[in-house]
Amino acid sequence: MRDIAQYMLDYLSAHSDDMAVQFILALLLVDVAAFLGSILMVVFYRLRSRFANIFETRYTQVAQDALERAIADDGSPVDEAVRLIGKMPPKAAGALFLKYSRLIVGASRERLLRIFRRTRLTRWTRQSAASPQWWRKTWAIRLVELLPEKEGGKFIESVIDDRNPLVRMGAIQMAHIFHTPEIMRQLFGMLAGKQCGEVFMLKDTLTRMGTRISGVLNVFLAEEDDEAALVSAIEIADAIRDTSHRDALVKILRERNDGAQAAAAHALASIPDEDVSLELQRALRAENPNTRAMAAYALGKTGDASCLNPLLEAFQDPAYLVRYHCAAAIRSLGRPGMDALDTCRHHADPYVADMARYVLNLPEFAIGAAI
Amino acid sequence: MTSKQIASSVILHFDHVVFYYFIVVNAFYTLLLLLSIPEMFKNSAFMRDKYLDSIFTQAVPGVSLIAPAFNEEASVTDSVRAMISLDYPSLEIIVVNDGSTDGTLKKLQSEFDLYEVPPIFRRTLKTNPVKAIYRSRKHSKLVVLDKENGGKADALNAGLNVSKTPLFCALDADTIIEPDALLKMAIFFLMKKDVIAIGGTIRIANGCTVEKGRVVNVRPPRSYLLMIQVVEYLRAFMFGRLGLNRLGGNLVISGAFGLFDREAVLLAGGYAVDTVGEDMELVVRLHRYMLEHRRPYRIEFIPDPVAWTEAPNRLAPLGRQRERWHRGLTDSLLRHKKILLNPRYGAIGLIVYPYFVFVELIVPVVEMLGYFTFAISLYFGIVGWFFAGLFFVAAYGFGVILSLGSVVLEEAYFQRYPRFIHVMQLIGMAMLENGGYRHMTVYWRVKGIYKYFRGEKRWGKMEHRGFAEGGASGM
């Protein structure tokens, strides 16, 4: 053993100015240091999370129990919950609020809000709203219900077009709580030129605002030129189903020849009347095949048996999608439609016959649904 | 100069080349490890914020899960049930029966009460004929495509044609996605502009407890071969791909788990059907398409969304898998060789692509030749035994450090393995990985290159034992 060690020392002293040997020795030193460092770090992280878990679990559990008693409104003191939540770190208290605000509705939710508004979490939310740090702002957005309505609305207005996407989209998502005219105006203004994800959020928020946006939406439908933004607005109108949008939608159906026209035909299915039915029958001859298909779909939804003949005519349309929607619409017109489709099974045009067979075999719930 | 002297000189020079190559490669690995730390830190705000979804859940874009199935009668219903149980608000599940000769379709029909719908879809990508499309009476989000056999890529393309959502995720039958993984990935599409693909981490499920299509108890497998693969996966995902984010983007998003912008993939031409590495080839093609058409885009890897996969637990299937991976890598890199060192492709052409060619692709060849010439050098006394030993220990130690680095990152940010003893086992495996296992992978990868040049295009037989319900699988 001693000989080996001696040999190694001799070798190293003889090659001490050899670059390769120096490099390898340095690498060995790095290896040993990094190895020990890694082990220490693993132990450190493990111990840290263990202690944090013990602290958080015990502390949060006590506050949570008090909160549940207070929400139950069985005469338990609310002050105890307020005191315990007030002692929690703000983010943990915020997480507790979010956890319960998802689960609870109605009167209990009001009690939940009242309890949390009395804690120092409200002050922290206000401070976070004023903070320049984006992550503090995202917390303020999530806890915005703890702020008074006017203050919350002003905060959402101020961040709804924030540079940080997380803040901006969080604000869009929570905007439905406030629906001030300024917020609505901002949301519609953002419909054009945004990427897919944000448009989803905008549509979702505006839809949740319901008929409150009808006035602004009608103006937007009448004035907007951008096709993508207009389609989004029509989809919102489609989801809200307010008859006040009828004229604007009919105008789009008559005057345009693009995706907006097809979307308008689809949206009119949810607000049917005699005039709309005539407009849709006219749209069965539109240039755009998607418009023809959506018009057939909408006529099916109206359930108006007088549409049978126009639909049977359109059933021989060259576009497969139009034929499908015509067949589905004919079937949804009840017995006369079913009989007509049954006859079509022996139609001279094999495409028509095939489609009739397909649609007659579909289960009832699938008629007019996505395929 | 005698021929012996010439041979000695050549071998000595080659030893020098290997030595310098070793330095450069490991310097690059170190750089990736260091770069992955700020990248992990950057993502940690999202990863640790359990309530981030409260401001996003309502409005995430729709996602199609496309799952090709070929003769998977035994596992297809469990896989579909696991997909249906995922927490995602707007999900469409497309199972593509790729001409199975067993009862895969019948099993699906009886289990999910399927009915046929008219085959209305735009045939944007050319595929083998679709025979029928079915929907389920039980689960409105399930669509089953029955088509003629054309391979995995062809099946994925057929699924893409039928899909109607803006995003899609191609899934392997032996992959379990964590319930919130899709949401975490979709949030990135909302948050960052021009994202067209996101890859997540794949972990090994062997050894874990799986219940109702979910991994409920995480623990490393008991077998040496599987445990070493756990460390290997950690290293590949924790710092390899994360570090590449900082250097200009990833060339690989695993075929088992990635979320893509459907429109971008359709524009790029869908999956290539004539390669065994269709996942990597698609990502490289996406880079190329976007750069050539001067479109802004991002292809990123994020470490937190996790999918679990079944790893081979025997040497033969593991060898076939690695060989196939390397054939796929070789094919993808050679198909798009135009990108290499081409300034037109920016950081991808000048940094990432050369890294994949000069490190990932040829490292096993250089390593194997290095072992060979090093042995000759030792035999003929061209290199001293002590120097060789010193070099071996230092190189081995450095390999261990890189693996340990990924275990440390795992501990610092995730702690998926709840028991300390499991982490110590991983550390042990990180030390053993360089003693034999690595050399086997070198052999399989070289074999992969050899088979590629011989023109082999087959996938090779893979074994799927399946995830045993309520117990550990593939031990």
Side-chain angles (χ1 to χ4, degrees), chain B residues 97-335:
Chain B
N97 177 40
D98 190 29
S100 298
T101 49
D102 65 353
T104 302
L105 183 64
K106 274 198 178 147
K107 197 90 192 251
L108 286 167
Q109 279 173 325
S110 63
E111 198 66 34
F112 299 105
D113 199 0
L114 302 180
Y115 63 91
E116 193 176 351
V117 295
I120 300 174
F121 61 93
R122 197 165 290 188
R123 287 152 180 85
T124 316
L125 303 170
K126 213 177 145 201
T127 66
N128 280 0
V130 172
K131 293 192 272 191
I133 301 181
Y134 302 91
R135 277 189 166 268
S136 165
R137 284 184 176 86
K138 288 184 181 169
H139 302 283
S140 58
K141 49 190 174 183
L142 175 63
V143 181
V144 176
L145 243 82
D146 184 27
K147 67 178 277 293
E148 287 178 13
N149 181 263
K152 186 184 171 190
D154 193 63
L156 288 171
N157 284 340
L160 264 172
N161 279 339
V162 170
S163 156
K164 291 188 186 73
T165 56
L167 307 178
F168 81 92
C169 174
L171 269 189
D172 281 354
D174 56 350
T175 303
I176 296 175
I177 299 185
E178 288 206 336
D180 60 349
L182 281 177
L183 195 62
K184 283 178 178 166
M185 287 172 120
I187 284 174
F188 262 74
F189 278 86
L190 294 178
M191 274 173 34
K192 293 191 177 179
K193 238 183 158 180
D194 310 315
V195 176
I196 57 166
I198 291 275
T201 303
I202 311 254
R203 288 168 183 259
I204 289 178
N206 307 54
C208 301
T209 311
V210 177
E211 278 176 15
K212 293 179 182 162
R214 291 189 180 189
V215 173
V216 290
N217 183 19
V218 179
R219 52 163 295 159
R222 291 202 191 100
S223 114
Y224 164 81
L225 190 64
L226 286 166
M227 224 184 318
I228 276 196
Q229 288 180 73
V230 172
V231 177
E232 196 188 15
Y233 273 56
L234 274 183
R235 201 184 53 223
F237 285 98
M238 284 297 146
F239 81 79
R241 297 193 185 176
L242 208 50
L244 284 170
N245 270 357
R246 286 250 153 175
L247 288 178
N250 267 285
L251 285 193
V252 187
I253 286 180
S254 170
F257 184 43
L259 196 60
F260 292 84
D261 182 324
R262 179 173 168 268
E263 214 44 55
V265 173
L266 288 179
L267 278 175
Y271 287 92
V273 291
D274 55 347
T275 176
V276 288
E278 76 291 331
D279 45 358
M280 179 178 180
E281 200 282 331
L282 174 67
V283 178
V284 179
R285 194 147 33 84
L286 279 172
H287 276 292
R288 192 170 165 181
Y289 180 88
M290 292 293 164
L291 290 165
E292 283 174 358
H293 291 81
R294 296 180 188 281
R295 290 180 182 221
Y297 77 102
R298 279 166 188 265
I299 295 177
E300 290 201 10
F301 167 79
I302 45 174
D304 185 34
V306 169
W308 299 85
T309 192
E310 186 193 352
N313 61 350
R314 290 190 309 112
L315 279 179
L318 177 65
R320 284 196 293 271
Q321 183 196 53
R322 297 310 159 95
E323 190 193 289
R324 175 168 55 78
W325 285 0
H326 218 72
R327 261 191 293 146
L329 175 84
T330 313
D331 183 40
S332 305
L333 293 175
L334 291 182
R335 268 172 199 244

Side-chain angles (χ1 to χ4, degrees), chain B residues 372-404:
Chain B
F372 184 65
T373 53
F374 215 58
I376 295 174
S377 307
L378 279 175
Y379 184 76
F380 288 108
I382 299 167
V383 172
W385 282 94
F386 182 68
F387 178 82
L390 214 55
F391 179 68
F392 174 77
V393 173
Y396 168 82
F398 201 76
V400 171
I401 295 308
L402 291 174
S403 298
L404 269 183

Side-chain angles (χ1 to χ4, degrees), chain A residues 31 46 49 165 169 208 371, chain B residues 58 164 190 394 411 415 418:
Chain A
D31 285 354
R46 187 52 60 148
S49 71
M169 284 194 243
R208 283 200 211 184
I371 50 164
Chain B
Q58 300 300 328
K164 291 188 186 73
L190 294 178
E411 264 307 281
Q415 296 196 349

Side-chain angles (χ1 to χ4, degrees), chain B residues 356-377:
Chain B
F356 271 86
V357 173
F358 296 119
V359 179
E360 294 289 333
L361 177 64
I362 65 166
V363 87
V365 179
V366 177
E367 203 171 326
M368 192 175 247
L369 287 174
Y371 292 138
F372 184 65
T373 53
F374 215 58
I376 295 174
S377 307

Side-chain angles (χ1 to χ4, degrees), chain A residues 104-165:
Chain A
I104 297 170
V105 288
S108 299
R109 193 162 200 281
E110 281 306 312
R111 278 199 292 282
L112 178 81
L113 282 170
R114 272 206 301 277
I115 293 165
F116 272 92
R117 278 177 187 147
R118 282 180 57 193
T119 66
R120 67 189 179 109
L121 191 60
T122 308
R123 201 176 68 212
W124 187 72
T125 306
R126 194 168 284 132
Q127 287 166 352
S128 301
S131 165
Q133 289 170 307
W134 67 265
W135 67 267
R136 289 281 303 258
K137 279 194 174 134
T138 62
W139 270 106
I141 288 165
R142 279 175 278 185
L143 303 173
V144 72
E145 282 179 278
L146 298 181
L147 299 177
E149 195 173 333
K150 212 170 174 186
E151 191 183 345
K154 276 233 158 3
F155 168 57
I156 293 293
E157 268 176 41
S158 68
V159 290
I160 209 159
D161 213 3
D162 197 273
R163 221 159 43 99
N164 184 299

Side-chain angles (χ1 to χ4, degrees), chain A residues 7-8 11-12 20-21 23-25 27-28 31 34-35 38-39 41-43 45-46 48-49 95 98-99 102 134 138-139 141-142 165-166 169-170 173-174 195-198 200-201 204 208 320-321 324 355 358 362-363 365-366 370-371, chain B residues 19 22-23 45-46 48-49 51-62 115-120 135 137 164 166 189-194 386-387 390-391 393-394 397-398 400-401 404 408 411-412 415 417-420 423 427 431:
Chain A
Y7 170 76
M8 285 161 72
Y11 183 91
L12 290 176
V21 174
F23 172 78
I24 289 171
L25 285 175
L27 189 61
L28 267 174
D31 285 354
F35 180 78
S38 303
I39 301 287
M41 281 167 84
V42 166
V43 173
Y45 284 121
R46 187 52 60 148
R48 193 182 72 162
S49 71
L98 291 174
K99 181 179 169 187
R102 280 178 187 186
W134 67 265
T138 62
W139 270 106
I141 288 165
R142 279 175 278 185
L166 205 60
M169 284 194 243
Q173 179 106 342
M174 301 304 269
Q195 59 168 340
C196 151
E198 268 186 83
F200 269 99
M201 285 207 154
D204 183 69
R208 283 200 211 184
Y320 196 85
L321 187 68
Y324 165 71
M355 185 58 80
Y358 259 128
L362 283 177
F365 71 88
I371 50 164
Chain B
F19 183 70
F22 164 82
I23 293 172
F46 309 113
R48 289 182 176 171
D49 195 335
Y51 292 91
L52 196 65
D53 59 341
S54 62
I55 53 174
F56 281 118
T57 316
Q58 300 300 328
V60 280
Y115 63 91
E116 193 176 351
V117 295
I120 300 174
R135 277 189 166 268
R137 284 184 176 86
K164 291 188 186 73
F189 278 86
L190 294 178
M191 274 173 34
K192 293 191 177 179
K193 238 183 158 180
D194 310 315
F386 182 68
F387 178 82
L390 214 55
F391 179 68
V393 173
F398 201 76
V400 171
I401 295 308
L404 269 183
V408 172
E411 264 307 281
Q415 296 196 349
Y417 294 93
R419 294 186 59 197
F420 187 62
V423 185
I427 290 175
M431 294 170 71

